[in-house]
Amino acid sequence: MRLILLGAPGAGKGTQAEILSRELKIPTISTGNILRAAMREGTPVGVQARSYVDAGKLVPDEVIIRIVQDRLAQPDCANGFILDGFPRTIPQAEAMEQYGIDIDRALSIEIEDETIVSRMSGRRTCRECSQTFHIVSNPPKQEGICDFCGGKLIIRKDDAPETVRARLEVYHTETEPLKAFYSSRGKLASIDNQSTIEATTAEIRKALEI
């Protein structure tokens, strides 16, 4: 199954992608994680991407498309994949089609902007492996420590309220039109945000009939 997860920053795409990846036994391709690793390592593409991310802007299409193409060509994507964070724009979606990257469903998690601002203020990210937690809805077993690798949990700069609002503005302008793009192809499924992670997962299962 080839899936795309749509939704504003903080809508819970990463969390749901991890759950679906385990259930469907297909990899999650998170462009955010790939880019954060590149920025942390100081690679040329990482340095380029940091100036955009820190300003709450989208990384240029040519950078993202190059990364995603290479990743989807790997053997573990042969039976399907979950794209989290890509495509973000209509040109990226069109480029995917041009390169023969087809998808089965685009899942759009719907959530209010103010809920996102409140939610992201509680998000914590592992400095080492980029796993994410939330102090209320998905807390680590030990405060400030990653469950997976033992790394230190930090508040990312792009989770600050002012940066979140800038990212939401970009989302509504650049990414939200993808809902109409995939709806016109009969591939969109809208998922209303639920009060718990488990309830949102249940709605996704219904939409995918799994």
Side-chain angles (χ1 to χ4, degrees), residues 37-171:
M39 290 188 290
R40 186 171 60 248
E41 294 164 7
T43 64
V45 70
V47 172
Q48 183 182 9
R50 179 173 291 281
S51 63
Y52 292 91
V53 173
D54 285 350
K57 297 180 180 179
L58 296 175
V59 177
D61 288 355
E62 60 269 20
V63 177
I64 300 295
I65 291 174
R66 187 168 69 246
I67 292 173
V68 172
Q69 274 189 292
D70 290 345
R71 181 65 184 88
L72 295 184
Q74 295 181 19
D76 63 338
C77 293
N79 293 324
F81 51 81
I82 303 167
L83 287 176
D84 172 17
F86 183 87
R88 289 181 187 247
T89 64
I90 296 292
Q92 287 180 352
E94 292 174 340
M96 280 180 58
E97 292 185 343
Q98 291 169 4
Y99 284 102
I101 302 172
D102 193 20
I103 62 131
D104 298 309
R105 297 289 271 174
L107 302 170
S108 177
I109 302 176
E110 306 295 336
I111 184 170
E112 296 291 332
D113 285 5
E114 289 309 310
T115 301
I116 286 176
V117 174
S118 175
R119 174 185 290 181
M120 292 184 74
S121 66
R123 187 156 75 173
R124 302 293 183 267
T125 303
C126 178
R127 178 179 289 170
E128 302 302 323
C129 71
S130 298
Q131 286 287 339
T132 58
F133 300 84
H134 193 278
I135 58 176
V136 176
S137 63
N138 184 33
K141 295 176 182 176
Q142 181 179 351
E143 184 177 352
I145 303 297
C146 177
D147 292 352
F148 296 89
C149 75
K152 181 180 179 181
L153 300 182
I154 61 172
I155 301 174
R156 287 167 42 201
K157 182 177 179 180
D158 54 349
D159 286 340
E162 62 274 15
T163 308
V164 173
R165 294 186 189 281
R167 294 172 68 198
L168 286 170
E169 184 176 346
V170 171
Y171 167 76

